[in-house]
Amino acid sequence: MKFNSLSLRALLIASTAILAPAFAFAQTETEAETETETEAAEAPTEAAPAVDEDFRLNEVVVLGRYIPEVLRSTSEVAAYLAPEDLARQGDSDAANALARVTGLSIAEGRFVYVRGLGERYSAARLNGSPLPSPEPLQRVVPLDLFPTKILENVLVQKTYSVEFPGEFGGGIIDLRTLNVPAEPFLEVSVGGSYNTETTGKDGLTYFGSDTDVIGFDDGTRKIPVAVRRAMSSGLRIQSGNFADQDLQAIGQSFTNAELNLIQTNDSIPLNGSYEVSGGTSFDLGGFDLGLIGVLGYSNGWRTKNGRLEVGEINGGQLQATSTFDYVSTDQNIGWDVLFGLGLDAGDDKIDWTNLYIRKTTKQAFVREGFDDLALRDVRDDRTAWYERELYSSQLNGRHFRGNWTFDWRTALSQTKRDAPYERAIRYVFDPLVNNYVYNPAGSGSNNSISFSYIDDKIVSGALDVKYTQPLSTARDIEYSAGIEGYENNRTAQTRVFGFIAANPPLDFRLTQQRADFLFANFNINPDVFEIRETTGSAGAGAFDADLNVFGAYAKVDAEVIPLVRAALGVRYENAAQSVTPLSLISSEADPAPVPGVKNNYLLPAATLTWNFAEDQQLRLGASQSIGRPQFRELAPQQYFDPDSSRIFIGNPFLTDTEILNLDARYELYFDRGQTVSAGVFYKDLEKPVESVVVTQSASVFQTYLNAPRAILYGAELEFKRVFDSPFSGAMMENKEFLVQANYTYSKSEVQASTGDEVFPLQSNGQPRPATDFVVDGSRLQGQSEHLANFQLGWQDDNARSQATLLATYASERTSARAPAGQPDFVQDPGINLDLVFKKGFDVRGREFTFDFKAQNLLNEDFDEFQSGNDGFVQVNQYDLGTSVSFGLSTEF
């Protein structure tokens, strides 16, 4: 069993302090209630309705009339995005919508950082059930997959409670899809957008297949039959294992011109999106049946013009030794389908939700510059096709039996990522022709064709039971318990091939040919080019991974004395995680086994909520939780990340992170949805997983290790106020204004002292001094010291219009640990300013809504760098541009 005695002792002391007043007030409870009732009877309340005298004798004042129900029903520190918030912000996906929440920031446009903790410390759920991820480097699902159009609301819980899994660091994000409609509707919407760096400008493309525009390949990118047959032999495809004529047939079977030839598109088109949604319900006598469906399609482009640099310390100074300018154009095609069915029989409710999301990226990439390893100017061309799919089918039920409530849920969720035909070709600059020419290395490393695939699946089920025992007419105590189990399985594999010169050197005229001619069939023969498989061996090409978790919890949530609510619980969790490297080539030796991670935990949590004044409350919380390494971080398999242009490799010697969480928060509610809150938080992380950049054998790659310890602490402020227009005149007097702002200050320190040890990949599991890899006092990766959001807007119901100005700020954050002696990699997200406008109008008796949004009005760019040691290195920089979108929707 894994116990933290100090943390448990602190929680036990806290729980004693919380429960002690219950016994002290037990004998005077009746008197306290009577006094409360008397005060309620005497206090004037203008909005209170007239009541009978007999009823007034039993009346009890319940404070918190303006506290939103979703926040009043939980004792935890939480944030809630209601349907009106999603509509006002105008964000197209869940990731961008969550960037507006206090203490949250977005990395790479996809992953949520909660209170400065990276995406590994956050978990996303769909209607309460866990989700798998299609991303090679993350187990958490990227939230850009979820269009806001399919969401009813989003709940972010920042303090741990035992009904959730113990893998909790920054927060739990529960995405809740549209439910059974209250009345029939059918809505159709169309939209378009442009970006100042992309639309109408020069970009890159390649032909691909005839059906690329719909995000599905027509078979052009399938592994050729001849290649599949050769792979089934169990032999590595290379000379010596296959005859020359067989290798020629295999090499000629690869698709060439359609996928190799990068072309310039001198006018990238507008982005477009289309969606239809509808729902209805039927009264079937004893119950209501509801149906809802959403179908959406989008097609958009994004061009990046940027710079990549690699730094080294020379003579004590940081210098850029490799420098590249690059251009890449991504075409992103998306489909989202939602189908829901609900049964409501009063005391029995059952929902069946089916969600299918598909995002396809067609990428063309070119970079040119000086490569320090090659000691010359080079050009790298790359084409790729990435298919990401998520499918989830969920069945949820809730049943009421008097004071008893039974909740159950089961789900099958699966994600896939297919990347066929990732083509890469390197050229070198030849001053004789003043141009780039092909110059193959003997190993074939100057060109490659890779096929990678990830299949990630989660099967889950849970049961929760709650019993409510009345303590008085206004107070009760809730006893709850539950179990949850889920199994997460991932399969990942990569096959890599390249053409080598059969009889080097190549004819000089051949090296100047275009890519589609260079690798045409007439050059694939025993005299010019020969196919060779370069798939990694010893498990570097594939792995199977699984995570099995069983959890059980018990919790008591009670208003122990009037206006004071305490929640105490403990969760038992058993988990086993393993990664098994696989040999894709059966004739080669089996990979070395990888140690698994298996632990049992008792995770306590205690919270206290004191509703001490009208619409004011104070929350205190303490809990113990964990964080687990992700599959890719454990797998000793190399992976090239196209977003960062870096090579990643896992470390099988990682262990779990144990986290102590402490929170305090004050909340004041002026009116419905109008609030001021202030909070502080503290987290102590034992063995946090950190990413490090290392150099080995003239190669640079990114891997992972457990740092000895880290702490994170900070404060949050939030303000939201709605008020009538202070201006007069027909244009302004009917408007209702909104001012909303939040700010989070956080500080973190990664601690590594003399005598502390780490277990990096390079030492093959042997301990190394932690100070060789971790700088004592450095901040946690992903943590920004300052986060801020501001919204100013108005709504005019008479004019059916709404406008909102939204600003988001995140200060610098560490993206990765640099090689020993170098300053860390840092990102500077900067300020993002958006404007959203909505206007309703009628045409021939039909209602329409026009949407307009302008994003990144300040034209901030993406900026990742190293700074220090009297030098500066631009790790990755590109212009984001300003985006303007518009849409039109109507209901039938």
Side-chain angles (χ1 to χ4, degrees), residues 107-349:
E108 302 173 35
R110 296 179 290 172
F111 300 106
V112 173
Y113 287 12
V114 182
R115 289 175 167 177
L117 292 172
E119 82 284 344
R120 75 173 67 255
Y121 298 108
S122 300
R125 298 203 143 206
L126 185 67
N127 299 321
S129 294
L131 286 169
S133 173
E135 294 302 310
L137 296 175
Q138 284 86 12
R139 191 169 67 241
V140 61
V141 65
L143 296 182
D144 67 323
L145 284 178
F146 298 91
T148 52
K149 294 269 189 178
I150 69 170
L151 299 177
E152 176 67 22
N153 55 64
V154 182
L155 178 67
V156 181
Q157 185 169 307
K158 300 180 187 177
T159 56
Y160 178 63
S161 55
V162 296
E163 60 266 32
F164 285 112
E167 196 170 355
F168 180 102
I172 289 282
I173 300 165
D174 193 7
L175 307 167
R176 300 171 179 179
T177 55
L178 295 170
N179 211 328
V180 177
E183 56 186 40
F185 76 97
L186 177 63
E187 181 176 328
V188 176
S189 62
V190 296
S193 67
Y194 74 89
N195 176 270
T196 56
E197 292 293 322
T198 302
T199 310
K201 301 290 184 66
D202 289 345
L204 302 177
T205 189
Y206 64 96
F207 178 77
S209 77
D210 291 326
T211 56
D212 284 0
V213 68
I214 61 173
F216 291 85
D217 179 70
D218 65 0
T220 299
R221 297 178 177 88
K222 290 184 64 176
I223 298 179
V225 173
V227 179
R228 293 202 301 269
R229 288 174 179 168
M231 291 191 302
S232 66
S233 71
L235 299 174
R236 184 176 291 272
I237 301 175
Q238 62 184 20
S239 179
N241 290 335
F242 294 86
D244 288 347
Q245 63 269 25
D246 294 329
L247 291 176
Q248 178 174 337
I250 294 169
Q252 291 179 351
S253 69
F254 284 99
T255 302
N256 176 35
E258 298 93 329
L259 306 180
N260 265 338
L261 182 61
I262 295 179
Q263 299 171 290
T264 299
N265 185 340
D266 60 4
S267 183
I268 300 293
L270 283 169
N271 306 323
S273 63
Y274 312 87
E275 185 170 278
V276 58
S277 59
T280 188
S281 58
F282 306 92
D283 184 354
L284 302 180
F287 59 88
D288 294 328
L289 171 66
L291 300 172
I292 193 166
V294 178
L295 173 63
Y297 166 79
S298 62
N299 189 3
W301 286 261
R302 171 56 61 90
T303 297
K304 300 176 184 177
N305 290 274
R307 187 169 180 83
L308 298 169
E309 295 182 349
V310 179
E312 289 184 5
I313 299 292
N314 292 319
Q317 184 179 18
L318 177 66
Q319 297 177 348
T321 55
S322 298
T323 59
F324 303 95
D325 293 316
Y326 74 91
V327 178
S328 72
T329 299
D330 292 354
Q331 182 183 5
N332 299 294
I333 306 103
W335 290 93
D336 50 274
V337 181
L338 173 71
F339 171 73
L341 185 150
L343 291 174
D344 187 345
D347 289 341
D348 299 282
K349 295 179 173 60

Side-chain angles (χ1 to χ4, degrees), residues 698-726:
S699 298
V700 179
F701 60 91
Q702 196 160 326
T703 184
Y704 310 89
L705 55 77
N706 288 104
R709 185 170 178 261
I711 60 172
L712 171 72
Y713 57 91
E716 296 176 333
L717 298 173
E718 184 174 7
F719 172 83
K720 184 178 181 180
R721 185 72 170 174
V722 177
F723 56 92
D724 293 333
S725 174

